[in-house]
Amino acid sequence: MKIVYFHGFGSSHASGTVEILRRELPNDEVVAPDIPVDPVEALPYLKELCEQEQPDLIIGTSMGGMYAQQMRSFRRILVNPAFTMSTMSKTFRTGEYHFFSGRYDGAKTFKITKDIIQHHNQMERQQFKNISSEEKETCWCLVGLRDTSVTNAESLFKKNYLADHVIRFDGEHQLNDKVIKKVLIPLVEQLRNA
């Protein structure tokens, strides 16, 4: 199976989640891009990547979950999706930030500007438009019960997708080894056999 993984805010293709997915799914190919900081670049880039790769499954965490939701013609798992990045004032504000892990281009820092926040806001207002009934069948949402970073993921997902495609897990915002093995991998295996 080919899986494309979309990382969260400030992360990269070299996140710990990618390493764990590759270790736990050794017979599958896990493609992990670096997501551009500005959604004006990121969304077209990710759509084109998925058209080229034709993955069997897309997994996105946090901001990556918000982007994964918009890859409509593919099966998707959204983990603690940050559907409203532009209003997450504790996390997402103007300034310079350090990437958590190495990027393909070697960049160590990035800037969030007022324009980038505005671009997120514009995209967020459009992200749930025109979801077909078939597309609702192909999207799942994993929600950490102790996630204090994203508190509206479950309600927004249920408003736009199928309520029985939400899986709650005992965990926080960021994934760890235990949650990936006990929650994410079993869902991947379930979708593999569907």
Side-chain angles (χ1 to χ4, degrees):
M1 185 159 72
K2 183 184 282 191
I3 297 168
V4 170
Y5 174 75
F6 293 169
H7 63 75
F9 177 71
S11 192
S12 76
H13 74 279
S15 78
T17 300
V18 174
E19 291 176 27
I20 297 167
L21 287 172
R22 287 181 174 148
R23 186 178 68 230
E24 294 298 314
L25 300 167
N27 297 320
D28 297 322
E29 180 183 359
V30 179
V31 176
D34 286 341
I35 299 175
V37 174
D38 192 328
V40 169
E41 298 170 37
L43 192 58
Y45 165 73
L46 294 173
K47 285 182 176 181
E48 184 178 329
L49 174 81
C50 289
E51 285 304 316
Q52 289 173 353
E53 294 290 340
Q54 288 296 307
D56 301 295
L57 179 64
I58 299 170
I59 299 171
T61 56
S62 191
M63 179 190 72
M66 176 267 300
Y67 282 123
Q69 184 275 135
Q70 297 178 74
M71 305 295 123
R72 297 278 173 72
S73 57
F74 300 96
R75 288 190 300 176
R76 295 147 289 152
I77 299 174
L78 321 178
V79 184
N80 293 324
F83 294 129
T84 54
M85 285 290 296
S86 65
T87 61
M88 293 174 63
S89 59
K90 288 181 185 174
T91 306
F92 196 67
R93 51 184 170 222
T94 58
E96 186 166 335
Y97 296 84
H98 288 273
F99 285 112
F100 299 129
S101 49
R103 306 270 291 188
Y104 287 121
D105 64 4
K108 304 285 186 215
T109 62
F110 63 101
K111 287 184 179 175
I112 296 297
T113 63
K114 288 182 181 179
D115 284 345
I116 289 174
I117 293 172
Q118 182 61 31
H119 294 160
H120 268 278
N121 184 269
Q122 291 166 348
M123 177 187 58
E124 290 159 11
R125 291 193 312 242
Q126 305 295 317
Q127 70 179 314
F128 294 114
K129 290 192 172 180
N130 304 317
I131 301 171
S132 71
S133 55
E134 292 83 16
E135 290 161 346
K136 290 181 181 187
E137 295 284 342
T138 62
C139 196
W140 288 261
C141 184
L142 302 180
V143 178
L145 295 174
R146 292 182 279 120
D147 183 353
T148 57
S149 298
V150 176
T151 56
N152 61 354
E154 183 173 0
S155 61
L156 284 172
F157 185 87
K158 285 181 174 179
K159 183 177 178 184
N160 294 283
Y161 285 94
L162 302 175
D164 65 350
H165 280 206
V166 172
I167 299 170
R168 294 175 174 172
F169 65 90
D170 181 23
E172 298 176 12
H173 184 67
Q174 291 187 310
L175 288 177
N176 60 33
D177 229 14
K178 180 180 172 185
V179 172
I180 292 171
K181 289 178 184 177
K182 288 191 166 190
V183 183
L184 182 55
I185 297 299
L187 180 56
V188 170
E189 295 301 343
Q190 175 187 326
L191 297 180
R192 179 196 311 277
N193 300 319

